[in-house]
Amino acid sequence: AQSVTQLGSHVSVSEGALVLLRCNYSSSVPPYLFWYVQYPNQGLQLLLKYTTGATLVKGINGFEAEFKKSETSFHLTKPSAHMSDAAEYFCAVSDQGYSTLTFGKGTMLLVSP
Amino acid sequence: NAGVTQTPKFQVLKTGQSMTLQCAQDMNHEYMSWYRQDPGMGLRLIHYSVGAGITDQGEVPNGYNVSRSTTEDFPLRLLSAAPSQTSVYFCASRDGTGVDYGYTFGSGTRLTVV
């Protein structure tokens, strides 16, 4: 089975600061990688995904992530944080022959004024 | 096109009771899976299916049963509910073909076992 490590269960930034959420994965096959966001008491919303092609992936709400095979990483970034970005973020990698996902434990992003 | 529909949205069970969480998709997706979400643990795979009549266990299958008699439906059965099964449950599906795909998630079922 694959695995995902998200560094930091909580990350705090000031409004307007750079957001960097770290994700490292292990996979025995070419990975498909995903970032999801979850607002309180809501479901999962797909931010972005990498399957094939360009390694820099742009998603919704100004987020982007870069697939770095040599570092087995897929870090999520946003140049300028907004208060509305406060939520929990999950990194995930495809598993079981691409039929399921393996998730990291999540990172809670806190944004202060 | 409703996507993935989970019912109920909320449920309270007493220890020892049984129940079925329903999951239905109308996209003709081959792959379906169940996850549970617990604080600090992310989402963990319970069971999954790669097609009608085919199911397999995930990371945390104990206490749960599944079956896949049709492409559309993938119910999750709790045989004898325990407080440790208090969680939020998500069902997901995806198309088994193509290289550029995503997973579609249901809105979740919040289960409390008392």
Side-chain angles (χ1 to χ4, degrees), chain A residues 32 38 49 96 98 100-101, chain B residues 35 37 48 94 101 103:
Chain A
Y32 290 175
Q38 186 179 40
K49 64 184 179 185
Q96 305 294 353
Y98 303 99
T100 66
L101 289 171
Chain B
Y35 302 83
Q37 182 182 16
Y48 67 102
R94 100 156 174 84
Y101 62 84
Y103 296 80

Side-chain angles (χ1 to χ4, degrees), chain A residues 71-92:
Chain A
E71 299 178 6
T72 61
S73 68
F74 191 57
H75 302 330
L76 182 71
T77 61
K78 182 174 181 179
S80 177
H82 296 165
M83 297 294 291
S84 60
D85 294 326
E88 191 161 23
Y89 293 78
F90 294 95
C91 181

